[in-house]
Amino acid sequence: MANKNNVTELIFTGLFQDPEVQKVCFVLFLPVYLATLLGNSLIVVAVSISKTLHSPMYFFLSSLSLVEICYSSTIVPKFITDLLAKVKTISLKGCLTQIFFSHFLGVAEILLLVVMAYDRYVAICKPLHYMNIMSRQVCHMLVAGSWLGGFIHSIIQIIITIPLPFCGPNVIDHYFCDLQPLFKLACTDTFMEGVVVMANSGLISIISLFILVSSYAIILISLRKHSAEGRRKALSTCASHITVVMLFFGPATFIYLRPSSSFTEDKLVAVFYTVITPMLNPIIYTLRNAEVKNAMKKLWGKRNPETE
């Protein structure tokens, strides 16, 4: 038992093997990560200081942007620096830490998207009671519940993973640490662990997706009673959220709710939801929302008074 873990360091195969291709990826993905940090940070700051963005919808949007910053920073900086490294290594403890935070923040994002769908449901279907139902205290509780749900989910995944023995090999066929690639390195049968992990992730995803679909089905039915202008405004506020939900659940479903076959395609899909999607979310919300755009313009104007 004392020697059950001979492996203390793991090696990533990375996204591509060709050094020249890796350099091109570095040039492409570094600006994407910086844009992710800038775009989401602007939303967090704009919502915090703007007098016009104090509704629950923008509070949840700010919370989502904060999660995106943290989630992206859990994976992308290591991935980008590894693109310039000949040997891409990470300690076993570092690998488990990356798994913990990526699952923690990933599920927190799923639950926040559910909370945002509930917010739109209340705003459209119960407008007269909206401020009473979505009080400041309730909003803070919903966001705290999202973080707590992500924490509990991730703790379960880590408790399952830590006891596994790793005695070699130590090469992970991925560019970051995730459960299925790590399970393949364990010196024991991990079928039951895989089932538990799949059930844990799958149950959260299926229930969340069911709530999201149900919320928007009820909203669409309710909109039949509204005027054409009312429908247009309501659908406009929902469109950004629906787009973000599809961008998140599409790749995540492909990775986690199917039997793993080829890690090559898994890695390419993973790039989308770990690197690209966190950058797209602030763009999607600001392009379709005049209030957010105006608040960010004012914020940018204060930072650059010489341009006025």
Side-chain angles (χ1 to χ4, degrees), residues 13 27 40 46 48 62 79 87 96 166 173 187 190 212 222 229 234 239 252 262 266 299:
T13 59
V27 173
N40 284 291
S48 299
S62 173
F79 166 51
V87 181
L96 293 172
F166 296 97
D173 187 17
C187 308
T190 58
L212 287 163
S222 174
E229 180 64 16
S262 168
D266 280 7
L299 175 64

Side-chain angles (χ1 to χ4, degrees), residues 31-33 35-36 39-40 68 72 275-284:
V32 169
Y33 176 61
T36 299
N40 284 291
E68 293 285 24
S72 182
V275 182
I276 307 299
T277 301
M279 179 195 69
L280 292 178
N281 287 357
I283 296 173
I284 291 167

Side-chain angles (χ1 to χ4, degrees), residues 125-275:
C125 299
K126 301 179 183 295
L128 298 179
H129 303 286
Y130 178 69
M131 293 313 297
N132 288 330
I133 296 174
M134 302 301 293
S135 64
R136 182 181 294 271
Q137 183 180 6
V138 169
C139 291
H140 281 91
M141 287 176 61
L142 289 171
V143 170
S146 300
W147 287 84
L148 179 61
F151 180 78
I152 293 172
H153 160 81
S154 197
I155 282 289
I156 293 171
Q157 308 288 65
I158 288 298
I159 288 174
I160 292 168
T161 307
I162 285 178
L164 293 176
F166 296 97
C167 49
N170 67 333
V171 179
I172 292 185
D173 187 17
H174 218 310
Y175 64 88
F176 70 97
C177 280
D178 207 357
L179 290 166
Q180 294 300 338
L182 186 61
F183 282 174
K184 288 184 175 294
L185 303 185
C187 308
T188 185
D189 180 28
T190 58
F191 175 77
M192 283 309 300
E193 286 82 359
V195 169
V196 173
V197 163
M198 187 71 71
N200 189 9
S201 299
L203 193 62
I204 291 172
S205 299
I206 291 169
I207 292 174
S208 299
L209 193 57
F210 175 77
I211 294 172
L212 287 163
V213 172
S214 300
S215 297
Y216 280 106
I218 295 170
I219 287 172
L220 290 174
I221 293 170
S222 174
L223 285 177
R224 292 187 300 178
K225 303 174 184 177
H226 290 62
S227 64
E229 180 64 16
R231 284 197 296 270
R232 188 191 66 79
K233 288 183 178 179
L235 289 173
S236 178
T237 63
C238 295
S240 299
H241 183 255
I242 293 173
T243 304
V244 169
V245 167
M246 290 191 296
L247 286 173
F248 184 89
F249 274 92
T253 300
F254 179 86
I255 294 293
Y256 292 107
L257 298 185
R258 69 177 183 87
S260 59
S261 53
S262 168
F263 275 124
T264 301
E265 59 187 20
D266 280 7
K267 286 188 282 187
L268 292 175
V269 173
V271 167
F272 188 79
Y273 72 80
T274 58
V275 182

Side-chain angles (χ1 to χ4, degrees), residues 40-51:
N40 284 291
S41 297
L42 281 174
I43 287 181
V44 172
V45 174
V47 171
S48 299
I49 67 175
S50 175
K51 295 179 180 178

